Amino acid sequence: MNNIPSVDLADFLSDDPNRKQKFVQEIGTAYEEIGFVSLRNHFLDDALVNGLYKEVKSFFALPLEDKAKYEIEGLGGQRGYISFGKEHAKGKKEGDLKEFWHFGQEADEDANLIEEYPENVIVNELPDFNATGMEAYRMLEKTGIYVLRALALYIGLDEHYFDHWASNGNSILRPIHYPPITEEPKGAVRAGAHGDINLITLLMGASAGGLQVLRNDGEWIDAIPNEDELVINVGDMLERHTNNKLRSTIHRVVNPPKEQWDTPRFSIPFFMHPRSDMKLNCLDACVNEEHPKAFDDITAGDFLHQRLVEIGLIKE
């Protein structure tokens, strides 16, 4: 396998039970074997994607002093702007060669959350930035819920098992700018090898290559979706909840060849988090003699806090 498997959400949404089961089997098998798929026929249309990239590029082109106004202390980087080199991969001290922005959940009034999410930060210079970002957020959240429904069926759970936890969850939409590289990086890459924290990650097509996935045999392969596809991978929370049945695969964004150093890269992942009170305890359906319980019990909120400390966004 030299690229990630491709699946069609239209199969799952079909009235044909055979097509629906085909999707469930394909995505479940892919997530057991490599942890990544590319997905077509999602809910993002081209106009929304193009509009969001336009807004994102305009924001990162603002002068640094303007962007710095939106870096809010005390939020652990959960909303607004996060400046260049602030985040690093778990276990690394070199900061990643990127700056980024965070849009967060705007929960329904009747969500009955046990926590209060921080408000999104409004960019005054770009009147369409926030509305466009949140429209994309909703479409990615909708897509993600259908993917989680398929995975619930694959595991042997009720199809709607994840609906409550993922709807109004603590999800993050993260537009990222990897600026041109101007000098030899001292051990730093655009994004160091890491697993994602959350349940699943949905990635809109990046403006340049570089995303690589670590195969079971230790080989790195390029993740190259078709133009109209999302790349969707399992995060550490779902790996933990399924007792390693579904794999959170290590991935990275490598620096381009030197002749392409002057090329910036933009990408926009959506990190789908559950509500913080969701228990990530290993599911009974995934524990047996052959696969004993591999993880201690923990809530999603406590696990997220641990990881934000490890990657440098929260200081203790």
Side-chain angles (χ1 to χ4, degrees), residues 38 51 89 129 139 188 201-202 263 272 296 311:
S38 56
F129 179 81
M139 293 301 100
T201 300
L202 298 86
T263 306
M272 196 158 197
D296 294 332
I311 65 175

Side-chain angles (χ1 to χ4, degrees), residues 63-75:
L64 182 56
E65 57 268 27
D66 289 341
K67 291 184 288 190
K69 294 183 303 190
Y70 301 112
E71 189 156 24
I72 312 299
E73 290 296 322
L75 287 183

Side-chain angles (χ1 to χ4, degrees), residues 96-303:
D96 289 341
L97 305 178
K98 67 188 181 191
E99 57 180 343
F100 52 98
W101 179 272
H102 275 165
F103 295 102
Q105 183 69 265
E106 294 175 353
D108 299 332
E109 285 186 15
D110 59 354
N112 295 320
L113 293 164
I114 68 159
E115 63 182 322
E116 188 172 333
Y117 296 138
E119 290 188 7
N120 278 309
V121 179
I122 304 300
V123 176
N124 297 318
E125 291 87 346
L126 300 170
D128 296 327
F129 179 81
N130 289 83
T132 305
M134 289 311 296
E135 186 181 352
Y137 185 109
R138 292 289 169 227
M139 293 301 100
L140 288 160
E141 183 177 56
K142 182 178 179 180
T143 302
I145 285 174
Y146 280 106
V147 169
L148 289 172
R149 286 177 181 175
L151 295 178
L153 290 172
Y154 184 75
I155 295 163
L157 305 173
D158 179 85
E159 179 176 340
H160 300 281
Y161 168 80
F162 288 103
D163 283 19
H164 167 76
W165 300 111
S167 301
N168 296 297
N170 193 18
S171 299
I172 291 287
L173 180 63
R174 173 189 280 192
I176 307 172
H177 174 221
Y178 303 93
I181 298 170
T182 56
E183 60 183 2
E184 189 71 44
K186 295 177 174 61
V189 293
R190 284 182 158 175
H194 65 284
D196 291 341
I197 299 170
N198 39 289
L199 291 172
I200 56 174
T201 300
L202 298 86
L203 175 67
M204 296 166 58
S207 65
L211 178 63
Q212 294 186 332
V213 176
L214 187 61
R215 240 176 17 197
N216 272 347
D217 61 2
E219 289 293 315
W220 289 96
I221 63 169
D222 294 321
I224 307 173
N226 291 322
E227 196 169 316
D228 59 345
E229 294 178 333
L230 297 174
V231 172
I232 307 182
N233 62 282
V234 172
D236 292 351
M237 287 186 181
L238 190 56
E239 178 179 74
R240 189 181 188 105
H241 199 37
T242 62
N243 198 38
N244 289 320
K245 180 178 178 68
L246 305 181
R247 294 185 52 222
S248 176
T249 303
I250 298 297
H251 52 285
R252 66 187 183 186
V253 179
V254 295
N255 298 333
K258 197 162 188 174
E259 61 271 18
Q260 296 174 23
W261 277 10
D262 60 347
T263 306
R265 182 181 190 270
F266 297 88
S267 73
I268 308 178
F270 178 74
F271 299 114
M272 196 158 197
H273 284 264
R275 297 165 181 248
S276 63
D277 55 331
M278 180 182 180
K279 291 181 170 65
L280 299 179
N281 308 355
C282 298
L283 289 160
D284 290 343
C286 301
V287 177
N288 53 41
E289 281 190 22
E290 194 177 340
H291 302 97
K293 182 179 175 183
F295 301 102
D296 294 332
D297 295 348
I298 195 170
T299 64
D302 287 341
F303 183 71

